[in-house]
């Protein structure tokens, strides 16, 4: 299987690259710089910017699936605008390239904490990242009306941290998974397992899901 990973050197994307390569997938890594990506027979590095839609479309053409872990950076000014624009550019390129399968990694902010109430809309949600979370939540809402793609929107657990790969975790749909009275956690390594699992054996076509311990 040939997959493109957008944001391949980021916090999530880098682990997804490792997981995909370990399973024998043919990976095209989209990034602005190589950083610590490995030299691997099944890895093709494509350096560029998602804002260049024609270039991105070219990298996506002929691929079986696209995984987006795109994040412009939580410290960016105009975080909502940059996140929303990048997401739309990725969506446009995927469709123009004729790639039917898209898995988009969003955030926990779009998970429900009560009927009709999503985490991003609660007073406890961190103000510095709220604009970015709102942007990817808006993308999730847009995808709900998208019939051309076999899309999946993944919301990680509320607490996503470096850790170990255990391949032992729970899956949910649109509600925030809890650990007793506290939000549940997951390692970024196990989030990568959930991502590649969904690419290889889809369970959530045109749907949102979440993963946590």
């Amino acid at each position: 299987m040939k997959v493109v990973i957008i944001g391949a050197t980021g916090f999530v994307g880098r682990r997804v690259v490792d997981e995909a390569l370990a399973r024998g997938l043919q990976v095209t890594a989209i990034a602005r710089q190589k950083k610590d990506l490995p030299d691997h027979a099944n890895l093709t590095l494509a350096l560029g910017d998602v804002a260049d839609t024609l270039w991105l479309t070219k990298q996506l053409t002929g691929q079986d699936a696209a995984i987006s872990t795109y994040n412009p950076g939580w410290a960016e000014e105009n975080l909502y605008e940059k996140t929303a624009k990048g997401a739309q550019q990725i969506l446009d390129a995927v469709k123009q390239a004729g790639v039917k399968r898209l898995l988009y990694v969003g955030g926990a902010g779009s998970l429900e904490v009560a009927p009709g109430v999503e985490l991003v809309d609660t007073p406890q949600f961190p103000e510095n990242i709220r604009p970015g979370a709102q942007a990817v939540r808006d993308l999730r809402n847009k995808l709900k009306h998208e019939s051309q793609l076999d899309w999946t929107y993944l919301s990680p657990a509320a607490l996503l941290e470096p850790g170990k790969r255990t391949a032992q975790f729970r899956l949910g749909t649109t509600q925030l998974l809890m650990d007793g009275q506290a939000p549940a956690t997951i390692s970024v390594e196990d989030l990568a397992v959930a991502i590649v699992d969904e690419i290889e054996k889809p369970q959530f076509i045109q749907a949102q899901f979440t993963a946590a311990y």
Side-chain angles (χ1 to χ4, degrees), residues 87-88 90-92 94-95 102-106 136-154 205-208:
Q88 185 61 54
I90 290 166
L91 186 59
D92 290 344
V94 168
K95 293 169 77 171
L102 168 66
L103 189 152
Y104 202 101
V105 181
V136 289
R137 190 256 302 272
D138 288 350
L139 174 71
R140 188 277 316 269
N141 292 341
K142 183 178 295 185
L143 286 172
K144 286 182 176 181
H145 303 285
E146 175 58 60
S147 59
Q148 182 178 333
L149 301 176
D150 288 336
W151 60 268
T152 299
Y153 183 93
L154 171 58
I205 296 293
Q206 296 188 348
Q208 179 180 5

Side-chain angles (χ1 to χ4, degrees), residues 30-32 47-53 55-56 70 89:
I30 304 289
R32 283 180 286 189
L47 298 180
D49 194 325
V50 299
D52 186 343
T53 306
W55 173 83
L56 184 58
Y70 170 77
Q89 288 165 330

Side-chain angles (χ1 to χ4, degrees), residues 75-117:
E76 286 286 327
E77 294 183 2
N78 304 315
L79 181 57
Y80 178 89
E81 291 78 7
K82 288 186 178 180
T83 305
K85 184 177 181 181
Q88 185 61 54
Q89 288 165 330
I90 290 166
L91 186 59
D92 290 344
V94 168
K95 293 169 77 171
Q96 290 170 20
V99 178
K100 192 165 180 63
R101 184 74 174 111
L102 168 66
L103 189 152
Y104 202 101
V105 181
S110 56
L111 293 169
E112 282 192 336
V113 294
V117 179

